[in-house]
């Protein structure tokens, strides 16, 4: 494993509030009134016209022991990914609720049911959390997972949410950027920078946000969480821990009005190159209506912009991918 230099980008904390390592705007430059007008009057197909699915993961296959040399991924929607890597099994940003909102009566509603019931998840080695936004941290799912005894790894401050929802403090590891935690003798989880923000109520940025590197004895995986364009950050991550055997980066919910905090497909491809390439499996699209663009636009643009040197993995929800098998394009969104 490459050493992390002391000059790496760091999150800045003023009192209880975290700041990005580079200047970042969260507020829309045109104002919230302009955003409301766009939401009401723009005509993009932000939600599917026809019901999607049902999608179903192979519960029996996923429950089998993970081979010591495996690298497989099952996309469950948005940023929820079941990863099988080097004999271990991880779940990222678990969201099973119908809506990503403080209330299950209002707010963005999922386009398809989760392809794997929460109570049918196989035994996990850890749950990895990128930040505390509702579309990444689902309190109902955490309450269920917390009863299984699984370890949770999260950025600084997010542990308070988990403890409030019943996760034992002994099962929570909170890390800052560039901090790492061992998982057994031959596996490491490293928290790395991202350019985003946090908050589940009126207070913003009282918890940290992060990307993650999963560093096994045979394979290395990058999970980007949410991030805006962040060339120096991705370059430093690639230099410290890359190249990766699999990169998972957000491509959806981007817009010029919040260009600093969500990348979109083009900036995701830039990040992918800075991280060291390898297969790219896009996240954060095709599941919830969180932006003004058409729901299919992120993956369509990704296919247009990715050159032949970028092996894309585009499975249907619940479809298990063997990364070594090469590029995959299920075109599930066209059915």
């Amino acid at each position: 494993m490459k050493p992390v230099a002391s000059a790496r980008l760091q999150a800045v904390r003023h009192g209880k509030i975290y700041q990005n390592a580079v200047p970042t705007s969260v507020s829309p430059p045109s104002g919230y009134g302009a955003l409301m007008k766009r939401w009401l009057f723009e005509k993009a197909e932000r939600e599917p016209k026809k019901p999607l699915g049902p999608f179903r993961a192979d519960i029996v296959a996923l429950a089998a022991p993970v081979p010591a040399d495996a690298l497989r991924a099952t996309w469950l929607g948005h940023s929820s990914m079941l990863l099988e890597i080097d004999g271990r099994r991880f779940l990222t940003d678990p969201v099973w609720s119908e809506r990503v909102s403080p209330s299950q009566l209002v707010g963005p509603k999922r386009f398809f049911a989760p392809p794997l019931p929460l109570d049918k998840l196989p035994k996990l080695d850890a749950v990895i959390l990128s930040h505390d936004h509702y579309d990444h941290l689902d309190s109902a799912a955490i309450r269920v997972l917390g009863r299984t005894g699984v370890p949770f790894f999260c950025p600084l401050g997010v542990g308070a949410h988990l403890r409030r929802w019943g996760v034992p403090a002994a099962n929570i590891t909170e890390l800052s950027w560039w901090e790492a935690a061992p998982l057994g003798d031959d596996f490491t989880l490293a928290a790395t920078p991202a350019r985003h923000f946090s908050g589940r109520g009126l207070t913003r940025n009282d918890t940290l946000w992060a990307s993650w590197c999963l560093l096994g004895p045979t394979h290395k995986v990058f999970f980007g969480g949410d991030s805006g364009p962040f060339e120096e950050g991705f370059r430093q991550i690639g230099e410290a821990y890359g190249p990766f055997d699999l990169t998972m980066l957000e491509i959806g919910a981007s817009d010029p009005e919040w260009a600093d905090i969500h990348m979109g497909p083009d900036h995701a491809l830039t990040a992918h190159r800075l991280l060291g390439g390898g297969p790219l499996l896009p996240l954060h699209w095709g599941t919830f209506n969180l932006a003004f663009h058409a729901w299919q636009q992120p993956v369509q643009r990704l296919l247009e912009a990715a050159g032949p040197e970028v092996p894309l993995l585009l499975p249907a929800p619940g479809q298990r991918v063997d990364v070594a098998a090469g590029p995959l394009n299920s075109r599930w969104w066209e059915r």
Side-chain angles (χ1 to χ4, degrees):
M1 187 186 305
K2 301 175 186 177
V4 177
S6 60
R8 301 295 180 194
L9 292 170
Q10 299 289 346
V12 179
R13 189 177 184 185
H14 292 290
K16 296 182 179 180
I17 301 300
Y18 292 93
Q19 294 182 355
N20 282 288
V22 296
T24 300
S25 174
V26 175
S27 300
S30 299
Y32 290 100
L35 291 192
M36 181 59 68
K37 289 181 181 179
R38 290 182 63 190
W39 190 261
L40 293 173
F41 298 113
E42 285 191 4
K43 302 301 182 182
E45 186 182 323
R46 297 197 292 256
E47 299 180 1
K49 292 181 179 179
K50 297 186 292 185
L52 300 179
F55 303 106
R56 294 188 176 90
D58 189 332
I59 296 172
V60 174
L62 289 173
V66 180
D69 61 349
L71 181 54
R72 301 185 295 218
T74 305
W75 183 53
L76 302 174
H78 204 56
S79 296
S80 300
M81 181 70 68
L82 185 63
L83 278 170
E84 299 167 273
I85 171 174
D86 297 353
R88 289 175 169 82
R89 192 181 284 115
F90 301 92
L91 180 64
T92 67
D93 287 359
V95 174
W96 260 258
S97 288
E98 183 77 0
R99 297 181 186 272
V100 286
S101 166
S103 169
Q104 289 301 295
L105 300 177
V106 295
K109 185 178 180 180
R110 62 170 55 248
F111 298 161
F112 54 85
L116 182 64
L118 189 57
D119 62 357
K120 299 299 182 182
L121 274 169
K123 181 175 174 57
L124 301 170
D125 289 277
V127 175
I128 300 172
L129 305 172
S130 64
H131 64 297
D132 71 358
H133 284 157
Y134 287 98
D135 59 321
H136 295 260
L137 185 62
D138 174 6
S139 62
I142 297 299
R143 291 178 193 276
V144 173
L145 292 167
R147 293 194 289 269
T148 69
V150 64
F152 287 79
F153 292 81
C154 61
L156 294 178
V158 177
H161 296 305
L162 307 185
R163 292 189 292 272
R164 188 167 63 252
W165 300 330
V167 179
N171 293 347
I172 302 169
T173 300
E174 298 183 67
L175 300 178
S176 187
W177 297 351
W178 303 116
E179 292 183 338
L183 196 64
D185 296 331
D186 60 353
F187 210 106
T188 300
L189 298 177
T192 43
R195 187 186 186 195
H196 200 54
F197 71 110
S198 66
R200 295 174 72 84
L202 297 177
T203 301
R204 284 181 174 173
N205 299 342
D206 55 349
T207 65
L208 187 58
W209 48 96
S211 57
W212 289 87
C213 299
L214 292 75
L215 309 170
T218 303
H219 295 103
K220 295 189 289 187
V221 172
F222 179 76
F223 167 53
D226 276 4
S227 182
F230 193 35
E231 292 194 9
E232 184 58 24
F234 291 123
R235 181 181 294 109
Q236 290 187 5
I237 295 167
E239 291 172 351
Y241 294 122
F244 295 94
D245 300 289
L246 174 65
T247 59
M248 302 184 298
L249 294 163
E250 63 150 76
I251 64 167
S254 63
D255 192 272
E257 293 288 344
W258 51 83
D260 285 355
I261 54 174
H262 284 294
M263 289 190 288
D266 292 272
H267 288 295
L269 288 168
T270 298
H272 172 259
R273 288 189 287 269
L274 292 168
L275 290 163
L280 170 60
L281 201 165
L283 303 177
H284 205 271
W285 74 282
T287 313
F288 299 103
N289 176 11
L290 300 173
F292 299 114
H293 58 64
W295 75 274
Q296 298 169 315
Q297 184 271 341
V299 71
Q300 292 170 339
R301 176 56 193 162
L302 183 69
L303 285 164
E304 291 172 356
E309 75 283 1
V310 182
L312 296 177
L313 298 174
L314 300 170
Q319 181 179 359
R320 189 193 211 180
V321 175
D322 187 335
V323 176
L328 170 69
N329 186 355
S330 68
R331 298 193 176 274
W332 69 270
W333 59 92
E334 297 177 352
R335 299 172 188 170

PDB file of all heavy atoms in Angstrom, residues 60-79:
ATOM      1  N   VAL A  60     -30.114 -16.768  -3.501  1.00  0.00           N
ATOM      2  CA  VAL A  60     -29.358 -17.983  -3.187  1.00  0.00           C
ATOM      3  C   VAL A  60     -27.897 -17.819  -3.589  1.00  0.00           C
ATOM      4  O   VAL A  60     -26.979 -18.140  -2.819  1.00  0.00           O
ATOM      5  CB  VAL A  60     -29.989 -19.199  -3.896  1.00  0.00           C
ATOM      6  CG1 VAL A  60     -29.124 -20.432  -3.697  1.00  0.00           C
ATOM      7  CG2 VAL A  60     -31.407 -19.446  -3.376  1.00  0.00           C
ATOM      8  N   ALA A  61     -27.645 -17.296  -4.778  1.00  0.00           N
ATOM      9  CA  ALA A  61     -26.266 -17.129  -5.237  1.00  0.00           C
ATOM     10  C   ALA A  61     -25.506 -16.139  -4.361  1.00  0.00           C
ATOM     11  O   ALA A  61     -24.332 -16.350  -4.040  1.00  0.00           O
ATOM     12  CB  ALA A  61     -26.254 -16.666  -6.698  1.00  0.00           C
ATOM     13  N   LEU A  62     -26.169 -15.065  -3.965  1.00  0.00           N
ATOM     14  CA  LEU A  62     -25.492 -14.049  -3.155  1.00  0.00           C
ATOM     15  C   LEU A  62     -25.181 -14.541  -1.749  1.00  0.00           C
ATOM     16  O   LEU A  62     -24.282 -14.004  -1.088  1.00  0.00           O
ATOM     17  CB  LEU A  62     -26.358 -12.788  -3.080  1.00  0.00           C
ATOM     18  CG  LEU A  62     -26.467 -11.976  -4.372  1.00  0.00           C
ATOM     19  CD1 LEU A  62     -27.489 -10.862  -4.221  1.00  0.00           C
ATOM     20  CD2 LEU A  62     -25.113 -11.403  -4.776  1.00  0.00           C
ATOM     21  N   ALA A  63     -25.891 -15.543  -1.281  1.00  0.00           N
ATOM     22  CA  ALA A  63     -25.664 -16.057   0.065  1.00  0.00           C
ATOM     23  C   ALA A  63     -24.483 -17.018   0.139  1.00  0.00           C
ATOM     24  O   ALA A  63     -24.009 -17.336   1.235  1.00  0.00           O
ATOM     25  CB  ALA A  63     -26.926 -16.754   0.573  1.00  0.00           C
ATOM     26  N   ALA A  64     -23.982 -17.468  -1.009  1.00  0.00           N
ATOM     27  CA  ALA A  64     -22.863 -18.407  -1.014  1.00  0.00           C
ATOM     28  C   ALA A  64     -21.586 -17.715  -0.545  1.00  0.00           C
ATOM     29  O   ALA A  64     -21.442 -16.494  -0.674  1.00  0.00           O
ATOM     30  CB  ALA A  64     -22.674 -18.976  -2.414  1.00  0.00           C
ATOM     31  N   PRO A  65     -20.632 -18.462   0.010  1.00  0.00           N
ATOM     32  CA  PRO A  65     -19.370 -17.858   0.447  1.00  0.00           C
ATOM     33  C   PRO A  65     -18.676 -17.123  -0.702  1.00  0.00           C
ATOM     34  O   PRO A  65     -18.736 -17.548  -1.859  1.00  0.00           O
ATOM     35  CB  PRO A  65     -18.557 -19.060   0.926  1.00  0.00           C
ATOM     36  CG  PRO A  65     -19.573 -20.094   1.282  1.00  0.00           C
ATOM     37  CD  PRO A  65     -20.706 -19.902   0.322  1.00  0.00           C
ATOM     38  N   VAL A  66     -18.011 -16.022  -0.358  1.00  0.00           N
ATOM     39  CA  VAL A  66     -17.316 -15.221  -1.359  1.00  0.00           C
ATOM     40  C   VAL A  66     -15.924 -15.813  -1.580  1.00  0.00           C
ATOM     41  O   VAL A  66     -15.140 -15.937  -0.622  1.00  0.00           O
ATOM     42  CB  VAL A  66     -17.196 -13.753  -0.902  1.00  0.00           C
ATOM     43  CG1 VAL A  66     -16.476 -12.931  -1.966  1.00  0.00           C
ATOM     44  CG2 VAL A  66     -18.574 -13.175  -0.605  1.00  0.00           C
ATOM     45  N   PRO A  67     -15.575 -16.165  -2.808  1.00  0.00           N
ATOM     46  CA  PRO A  67     -14.233 -16.694  -3.072  1.00  0.00           C
ATOM     47  C   PRO A  67     -13.148 -15.682  -2.716  1.00  0.00           C
ATOM     48  O   PRO A  67     -13.350 -14.470  -2.790  1.00  0.00           O
ATOM     49  CB  PRO A  67     -14.255 -16.986  -4.574  1.00  0.00           C
ATOM     50  CG  PRO A  67     -15.706 -17.165  -4.905  1.00  0.00           C
ATOM     51  CD  PRO A  67     -16.437 -16.220  -4.008  1.00  0.00           C
ATOM     52  N   ALA A  68     -11.983 -16.190  -2.354  1.00  0.00           N
ATOM     53  CA  ALA A  68     -10.887 -15.330  -1.901  1.00  0.00           C
ATOM     54  C   ALA A  68     -10.368 -14.415  -2.996  1.00  0.00           C
ATOM     55  O   ALA A  68      -9.728 -13.409  -2.691  1.00  0.00           O
ATOM     56  CB  ALA A  68      -9.755 -16.192  -1.356  1.00  0.00           C
ATOM     57  N   ASP A  69     -10.611 -14.753  -4.272  1.00  0.00           N
ATOM     58  CA  ASP A  69     -10.117 -13.920  -5.377  1.00  0.00           C
ATOM     59  C   ASP A  69     -11.243 -13.228  -6.132  1.00  0.00           C
ATOM     60  O   ASP A  69     -11.059 -12.744  -7.247  1.00  0.00           O
ATOM     61  CB  ASP A  69      -9.294 -14.763  -6.345  1.00  0.00           C
ATOM     62  CG  ASP A  69     -10.108 -15.897  -6.969  1.00  0.00           C
ATOM     63  OD1 ASP A  69     -11.241 -16.158  -6.494  1.00  0.00           O
ATOM     64  OD2 ASP A  69      -9.612 -16.528  -7.923  1.00  0.00           O
ATOM     65  N   ALA A  70     -12.428 -13.131  -5.523  1.00  0.00           N
ATOM     66  CA  ALA A  70     -13.596 -12.596  -6.221  1.00  0.00           C
ATOM     67  C   ALA A  70     -13.590 -11.074  -6.243  1.00  0.00           C
ATOM     68  O   ALA A  70     -13.092 -10.415  -5.318  1.00  0.00           O
ATOM     69  CB  ALA A  70     -14.878 -13.082  -5.552  1.00  0.00           C
ATOM     70  N   LEU A  71     -14.169 -10.517  -7.308  1.00  0.00           N
ATOM     71  CA  LEU A  71     -14.544  -9.106  -7.353  1.00  0.00           C
ATOM     72  C   LEU A  71     -15.855  -9.023  -8.112  1.00  0.00           C
ATOM     73  O   LEU A  71     -15.890  -9.089  -9.345  1.00  0.00           O
ATOM     74  CB  LEU A  71     -13.476  -8.252  -8.021  1.00  0.00           C
ATOM     75  CG  LEU A  71     -13.799  -6.748  -8.090  1.00  0.00           C
ATOM     76  CD1 LEU A  71     -14.138  -6.192  -6.708  1.00  0.00           C
ATOM     77  CD2 LEU A  71     -12.668  -5.961  -8.732  1.00  0.00           C
ATOM     78  N   ARG A  72     -16.937  -8.920  -7.361  1.00  0.00           N
ATOM     79  CA  ARG A  72     -18.271  -8.903  -7.944  1.00  0.00           C
ATOM     80  C   ARG A  72     -19.084  -7.786  -7.304  1.00  0.00           C
ATOM     81  O   ARG A  72     -18.858  -7.423  -6.151  1.00  0.00           O
ATOM     82  CB  ARG A  72     -18.966 -10.260  -7.738  1.00  0.00           C
ATOM     83  CG  ARG A  72     -18.200 -11.414  -8.369  1.00  0.00           C
ATOM     84  CD  ARG A  72     -18.920 -12.725  -8.290  1.00  0.00           C
ATOM     85  NE  ARG A  72     -19.118 -13.228  -6.947  1.00  0.00           N
ATOM     86  CZ  ARG A  72     -19.024 -14.518  -6.613  1.00  0.00           C
ATOM     87  NH1 ARG A  72     -18.724 -15.433  -7.518  1.00  0.00           N
ATOM     88  NH2 ARG A  72     -19.254 -14.903  -5.369  1.00  0.00           N
ATOM     89  N   ALA A  73     -20.018  -7.259  -8.067  1.00  0.00           N
ATOM     90  CA  ALA A  73     -20.833  -6.134  -7.595  1.00  0.00           C
ATOM     91  C   ALA A  73     -22.278  -6.347  -8.001  1.00  0.00           C
ATOM     92  O   ALA A  73     -22.565  -6.778  -9.128  1.00  0.00           O
ATOM     93  CB  ALA A  73     -20.310  -4.826  -8.169  1.00  0.00           C
ATOM     94  N   THR A  74     -23.180  -6.031  -7.083  1.00  0.00           N
ATOM     95  CA  THR A  74     -24.620  -6.079  -7.350  1.00  0.00           C
ATOM     96  C   THR A  74     -25.198  -4.723  -7.002  1.00  0.00           C
ATOM     97  O   THR A  74     -25.250  -4.336  -5.829  1.00  0.00           O
ATOM     98  CB  THR A  74     -25.309  -7.179  -6.523  1.00  0.00           C
ATOM     99  OG1 THR A  74     -24.669  -8.436  -6.766  1.00  0.00           O
ATOM    100  CG2 THR A  74     -26.786  -7.278  -6.890  1.00  0.00           C
ATOM    101  N   TRP A  75     -25.607  -3.983  -8.047  1.00  0.00           N
ATOM    102  CA  TRP A  75     -26.177  -2.650  -7.847  1.00  0.00           C
ATOM    103  C   TRP A  75     -27.627  -2.799  -7.422  1.00  0.00           C
ATOM    104  O   TRP A  75     -28.437  -3.419  -8.116  1.00  0.00           O
ATOM    105  CB  TRP A  75     -26.072  -1.837  -9.142  1.00  0.00           C
ATOM    106  CG  TRP A  75     -26.568  -0.429  -9.027  1.00  0.00           C
ATOM    107  CD1 TRP A  75     -26.207   0.505  -8.114  1.00  0.00           C
ATOM    108  CD2 TRP A  75     -27.509   0.213  -9.893  1.00  0.00           C
ATOM    109  NE1 TRP A  75     -26.859   1.693  -8.345  1.00  0.00           N
ATOM    110  CE2 TRP A  75     -27.669   1.542  -9.428  1.00  0.00           C
ATOM    111  CE3 TRP A  75     -28.239  -0.193 -11.011  1.00  0.00           C
ATOM    112  CZ2 TRP A  75     -28.520   2.455 -10.051  1.00  0.00           C
ATOM    113  CZ3 TRP A  75     -29.078   0.709 -11.635  1.00  0.00           C
ATOM    114  CH2 TRP A  75     -29.213   2.025 -11.154  1.00  0.00           C
ATOM    115  N   LEU A  76     -27.973  -2.221  -6.269  1.00  0.00           N
ATOM    116  CA  LEU A  76     -29.319  -2.323  -5.724  1.00  0.00           C
ATOM    117  C   LEU A  76     -30.142  -1.058  -5.949  1.00  0.00           C
ATOM    118  O   LEU A  76     -31.278  -0.970  -5.504  1.00  0.00           O
ATOM    119  CB  LEU A  76     -29.237  -2.639  -4.227  1.00  0.00           C
ATOM    120  CG  LEU A  76     -28.475  -3.922  -3.899  1.00  0.00           C
ATOM    121  CD1 LEU A  76     -28.322  -4.084  -2.392  1.00  0.00           C
ATOM    122  CD2 LEU A  76     -29.157  -5.144  -4.513  1.00  0.00           C
ATOM    123  N   GLY A  77     -29.552  -0.078  -6.653  1.00  0.00           N
ATOM    124  CA  GLY A  77     -30.218   1.191  -6.916  1.00  0.00           C
ATOM    125  C   GLY A  77     -29.508   2.340  -6.241  1.00  0.00           C
ATOM    126  O   GLY A  77     -28.968   2.218  -5.128  1.00  0.00           O
ATOM    127  N   HIS A  78     -29.484   3.484  -6.913  1.00  0.00           N
ATOM    128  CA  HIS A  78     -28.871   4.714  -6.420  1.00  0.00           C
ATOM    129  C   HIS A  78     -27.424   4.448  -6.011  1.00  0.00           C
ATOM    130  O   HIS A  78     -26.619   4.054  -6.854  1.00  0.00           O
ATOM    131  CB  HIS A  78     -29.700   5.314  -5.286  1.00  0.00           C
ATOM    132  CG  HIS A  78     -29.495   6.783  -5.118  1.00  0.00           C
ATOM    133  ND1 HIS A  78     -29.689   7.672  -6.150  1.00  0.00           N
ATOM    134  CD2 HIS A  78     -29.100   7.534  -4.052  1.00  0.00           C
ATOM    135  CE1 HIS A  78     -29.431   8.899  -5.729  1.00  0.00           C
ATOM    136  NE2 HIS A  78     -29.065   8.832  -4.463  1.00  0.00           N
ATOM    137  N   SER A  79     -27.060   4.620  -4.744  1.00  0.00           N
ATOM    138  CA  SER A  79     -25.675   4.380  -4.319  1.00  0.00           C
ATOM    139  C   SER A  79     -25.541   3.157  -3.426  1.00  0.00           C
ATOM    140  O   SER A  79     -24.500   2.973  -2.782  1.00  0.00           O
ATOM    141  CB  SER A  79     -25.139   5.617  -3.587  1.00  0.00           C
ATOM    142  OG  SER A  79     -25.078   6.719  -4.464  1.00  0.00           O
TER     143      SER A  79
END
